[in-house]
Amino acid sequence: MVAVLPGKPQATLQAVCTTEWNGKRLILYISGNALVILGGPHHLIQTIYHDDTQILGAVAVDRETGKIATWSGGDIHIYKPYGQNEDVPKWSLQYSFHVTDKDCDAFALSWGTSEELLVGSTALSLYQTNEQEVLIWTRELSSPVASALFSPDSSLIASTARYDRLVKLWRRLSYGSDDVRFDFSYLSHPATVTGIQWRVSDPQEQGAHILYTICADNKVRVWASTDPHASQILQLWVELDVQESIQPRNLDPLPAVYSRYVLFIDSHDFMALANAGSQAATVAGKENHALEHLSEIAERAPEVCVVLDNRGHMSAWGFENVGGRAREPKNVFNIAHIENFNLLLPRTTSHSTECIRLLSFCTGAPLTRYAVLAHHFDGRIVWLEGRIDDFFDPSPRRARLQVKSLWTGHEGSVKKIVRSVSGKALISRTNDNEGIIWKQRHGSDGTALSRASFLNSPEHIHRTWLFGDGSFTVNLHHHSISLWDTRNYEAKQVARCNFQLQGKPLCLLELPHQNEKSRKKLLATISSQMKGIVWIIDLSPDVKEDGTESHRHFTIMEHCSFDLGIATDVAFVIPVDPAGSPPILADVLDTFSQDIALSYTKSGVLHTWAAKIDVQNGTVDWLMTSNVDSGVDHPFLTSGSSTRKIALVNSARNGLTVWDSRSGQMEFSKDYSPQEMIQDLDWTSTPDLQSILAVGFPHKVLLLAQIRYDYLDKGPAWAPIREIYIRESTPHPIGDSTWLGSGNLVIGAGTQLFVYDKLITTSDEMITDLSLPVHGHASVDIFDVVALLNGPLPVYHPQFLAQCILAGRMPQVSKIIINLNTALKFLDGDHLDSLLSLQAEEVFTNQQDLAVVASRKERHSDYADFSDDEDSDNVTEELAATLNENLAKFPVPYLSSQEQMHLADIVECVATAEKHRRSMDENAMRYLLFVRQHLVRKAQGRKKQVGITWRETAWAFHSGSQDILVDLVSRHYNGRLLWEHARESGMFMWMSDIDALRAQFETIARNEYTKTDEKNPIDCSLYYMALKKKTVLLGLWRMAAWNREQSSTQKFLANNFQEHRWKTAALKNAYALLGKRRFEYAAAFFLLAGNLRDAVNVCAQQMQDIQLAIAITRVYEGDSGPVLHDLLEDKVLPMAAIEGNRWLAMWAFWMLGRRDMAVRSLITPVYTLLQTPETPSQEARSYLATDPALIVLYKQLRDKSLQTLRGASQISPRVEWDFVMQTARLYDRMGCDLLALDLVRNWEFLATPKDTLQPLSQIPDPGKMLRRRSSLVVDDLPSPSLPAEKGAEGAKGVQAPTAWKEPDANSLLDNFGF
């Protein structure tokens, strides 16, 4: 926290108090119904609210026990400290008691010794407050007391009434709680006594009673016990005329009377400060004449009286030997007289704001600094601090005391905070329609807010808009709009305009203007009926002859009205958070125009709006720039930013989603606990337009920052970077919050405003979870944190390398890894070129260049493949080992430790892929790289996902090297491939050869049988039944003598299940096993009965294993059977539509023989391609549903065959254009800017007629559609003369399986190697 604005202090004499307690300085003041406890300029210890009481009137603190007493409406509240041992003191209410009529507005509190509390109102009362209040003495007064103070040793009480010229001095005669007696005497003054103050001394110091009184005759009187035998308790020692004490040296005429302010410095404080300054000067070895002068004065141990005026004059006087029997003239002497002494005192103000109470004390550790608290009765407290020699130095100085803090704020609870577009000013409002305009200022202690103006509206403020730097404010009321000039301390209404509008006004927003610096502003409101009004606000007033401005010519004029035309179901309209960028008028109103408004419906449909106004013709044009269906019914709250991000809160107020309005994709989704109710959303952006969202809860604010997209690990696109709790500072819930343009967050809670800095501690758990490369930094700027989480990646970043691999840039990946290995050998310091000395053109190449490189490699002879020169351009296992060793030793710039581990994984995987690159195609390489990376991370415990994704399955599915992939997968599991391993690798989804698939399935059946020592036939029953090898399974049961089910099962399997009775028996057994939740065994019995469909349903629904369902279907009936067809259409495709899984949809369509639909599914949302559209889930709306690697597969497949060309021809050029541009934005969002540039530079569109689509019945002509004629296009369209064969077309052109023959039982032992 940089600064705190704890609230507006009350304008009473006892609104502020300070003391030293337990070695800590405490400052307490009352603001409205809140008690504020501070420990320093920026240290808020605690805020205590009196929710059921009136405004507080007085506060006092006991410097011995730390107890606090407050008064409100005739009630006294006693607070007791706790937690002193933990060095974090807090106060809790001990008890309350009633003392007097609540209508009495004169009140005084003062603590004595032994927890005694003096209460003054219409009577003086003394209470013992140990465990419960006990009244031990009281005395009625003729007039209500204005001030009553205990002397430091509690033996005397000084009291005075309002407008009284007598100070009543009470002397304690007895101290027993049963018999407390006082006598009294009077200290007479010639005029009204305006202030009394005891000299602060040690309570143990007896007989040193010195009382200062300030009188309306402009004199300070010092009273002391000079004669203990006199009739009066204290005698007048000296009086000082404060009016005459200041004699300005300039000749400017002065008014007869102007304000004087008095400040007392006790002798022990003065001596301590002077001695500390002398010691510091001695250590520094510097001469300081002012300090030497003060040291000489300090030797006389004077009490110091400082007299100030509001014209920059100061006169300091010393009182020596106060209380001595004989006062000599030299006992009163002048210490300093200074001109241009600026202590932030008002020059010309009204009488109510002219009153200032000054308190002073020593501060610092040790006590080397002098601090002054200036309590201005206009509602602020200023903490001034500096060195004592600077304070009294007669030589000219600009700033003798520095402003450490300014405490002010509201009396009522903050309801709303609105910032200007620039973020340099804001206005905070209360329920009483009072507003304070704050301006941002930068000081040595960081960013703070200074109060600029106060606004008090006589009618309800519905919405507010702040212009520029806070000089003008517009308030929208129910039927009028008003303009306020807020350049002065008190805002003035300078213009007003009434209006009539259909519906309730919902928002106030600024429209873009042609000239940003124009003094004419355009504001608009939109109603619940989606109708609106535009006003022109003229902020250029006329100038009078004397140079002053005329407020009469500030105008608000209704310019035009409009109708957006979609009034149905609209829930609310709000302005888009400018996030630091002012609205800019574009030449053309299109989707690239800046959003200025956001509307949402009750069904959760979000619309963003841009506008362009024609001032001359009096019209305004509106354009809906985006339409996002969030699927969230009855949203509670939403907020949009000018960076095209929208945050949405559900009706339960505990669910948050973040959307990209440009793409319509969901980037973040989080459900918080029901106790955490979201109540506020605020946007800001970094200088490079990265977004930060502040999510407000009742007692905390969570900061979310956008981070790079991560499709490989499916990481979140937003992450929490900071959590701000305010419970330690105030129990009041948060009213509102907003961002300053500098990145500081302002939170309003109760009467207080908290300004939090933009530095984030790197040791925070949220930052460590993000694994940011912030080595050696204790704190980091929030903008720097977001920049590290976003922006372009270095070419050696693991995510960039992974995307290059997917994009088919293996030569570039190898070159990057080789250059990184070389660079790390000579790494000096933290600098490492993000491009590794490569040119940008070397990182991406066009397709022709890649073709040349590929053809060159194909022309290499077999002998050339073994040359050492070629290996120098490839990543060998030896190079990978060397590089990974260096990665384990040295921190790599711009990479976190976690990312360095990922980089080591990729290097190892690339080396493995390079080893097999001559025998595998690109798709097989992609599959191998990411499957190996998945397995490595899983072995390290860093992979939560069970199996590979359908993306990797798609690469292997379209590979021509599947036999090698099968062999590599089997080797990884040491030839003991089980079904869980096959499912993890997706093997039975991408294998195309049915014979090889069945052979591999039989291998899994044997391994499932032998995976345990007992060799249970139940484990492999489903697999052998799918293979239709009942005889093999029967032989296994013959050897399972240990199994109690052996006899019955063996006897049962020996039957002929072609007969109806045994099929029925098998079905009964299957249903019985379902009842016992033995799902896999039940599926085996369904297969035994020949009921493949039910077996598939058990696998897909009860076992939740869609891969197993597909595998047994393919093994049982091949790729052209009806069950597989129905499974794909009824289960897989709807699942893909609901999840938005385009990889799965492409695979399913390809398996169905619909290759045209497979190509379209890569670009088009899946649910739009189904005959019975499924409602997409939130997962389908996620950004993860649009993987940038989809465009790689789309480009690979679209010109592969006539079917794929026909599917591509059904995609309009506009849709393909949008898909390419969206993919480029995704690359950019991932930090892969070079790949985005490569995509838009080298993409080739199909040569189709503009704005026309090819009919499905027309066969596409590859020669006309493909720009390059070198491609080989396969004719895979079904023959129209053979309609019966249309449904029998299998995936990848595989022939229908031949008739199956059950093997002989004698081959059983051979199958298992017995």
Side-chain angles (χ1 to χ4, degrees), residues 979-980 983 989 1023 1080 1095-1112 1127:
W979 169 249
E980 60 177 316
R983 181 176 55 220
M989 303 301 103
Y1023 306 97
E1080 183 177 326
V1096 167
N1097 289 335
V1098 170
C1099 295
Q1101 295 179 7
Q1102 276 74 22
M1103 298 179 65
Q1104 294 293 306
D1105 193 343
I1106 192 67
Q1107 284 200 39
L1108 181 59
I1110 295 171
I1112 64 173
L1127 177 63

Side-chain angles (χ1 to χ4, degrees), residues 87-305:
D87 202 33
V88 186
K90 297 290 182 180
W91 280 259
S92 61
L93 181 65
Q94 187 178 12
Y95 55 84
S96 302
F97 60 94
H98 186 74
V99 292
T100 186
D101 185 6
K102 64 180 180 180
D103 296 330
C104 178
D105 58 351
F107 216 83
L109 298 174
S110 182
W111 286 94
T113 57
S114 304
E115 301 186 36
E116 291 180 347
L117 178 65
L118 177 66
V119 178
S121 57
T122 56
L124 276 182
S125 304
L126 188 61
Y127 290 86
Q128 174 57 246
T129 63
N130 189 6
E131 296 297 335
Q132 191 65 33
E133 85 282 358
V134 178
L135 180 63
I136 58 177
W137 175 81
T138 185
R139 179 66 63 89
E140 292 290 333
L141 301 175
S142 58
S143 299
V145 70
S147 181
L149 297 174
F150 260 126
S151 65
D153 62 355
S154 301
S155 63
L156 298 178
I157 298 174
S159 67
T160 181
R162 185 176 296 178
Y163 309 119
D164 197 351
R165 67 180 187 85
L166 297 176
V167 174
K168 186 174 289 188
L169 206 59
W170 305 79
R171 178 169 55 190
R172 190 163 186 169
L173 303 178
S174 62
Y175 285 88
S177 59
D178 297 333
D179 183 20
V180 176
R181 290 178 292 114
F182 286 85
D183 67 352
F184 65 89
S185 63
Y186 292 101
L187 303 180
S188 179
H189 293 71
T192 301
V193 177
T194 58
I196 60 175
Q197 180 177 331
W198 291 99
R199 187 197 71 163
V200 179
S201 61
D202 194 328
Q204 310 302 327
E205 186 180 349
Q206 298 293 329
H209 298 132
I210 299 175
L211 178 67
Y212 305 111
T213 62
I214 305 172
C215 190
D217 63 353
N218 286 321
K219 289 185 178 181
V220 172
R221 290 172 173 82
V222 183
W223 305 81
S225 55
T226 59
D227 185 2
H229 302 291
S231 59
Q232 285 190 327
I233 302 172
L234 297 180
Q235 293 81 40
L236 179 63
W237 189 78
V238 72
E239 64 180 25
L240 177 68
D241 192 329
V242 297
Q243 193 72 28
E244 297 297 329
S245 64
I246 294 180
Q247 295 297 330
R249 295 190 179 98
N250 54 34
L251 301 179
D252 295 338
L254 296 176
V257 177
Y258 59 97
S259 299
R260 293 286 194 273
Y261 307 95
V262 179
L263 176 65
F264 298 102
I265 306 176
D266 298 314
S267 58
H268 59 277
D269 283 349
F270 184 78
M271 290 188 295
L273 290 169
N275 293 334
S278 298
Q279 293 175 5
T282 302
V283 173
K286 296 181 180 179
E287 292 187 1
N288 190 327
H289 298 292
L291 197 55
E292 293 174 0
H293 174 63
L294 291 183
S295 298
E296 294 175 359
I297 295 175
E299 292 177 357
R300 304 170 66 177
E303 310 294 333
V304 180
C305 176

Side-chain angles (χ1 to χ4, degrees), residues 408-419:
T408 184
H410 293 277
E411 284 185 298
S413 297
V414 175
K415 173 186 177 182
K416 185 67 177 176
I417 305 177
V418 179
R419 63 169 247 179

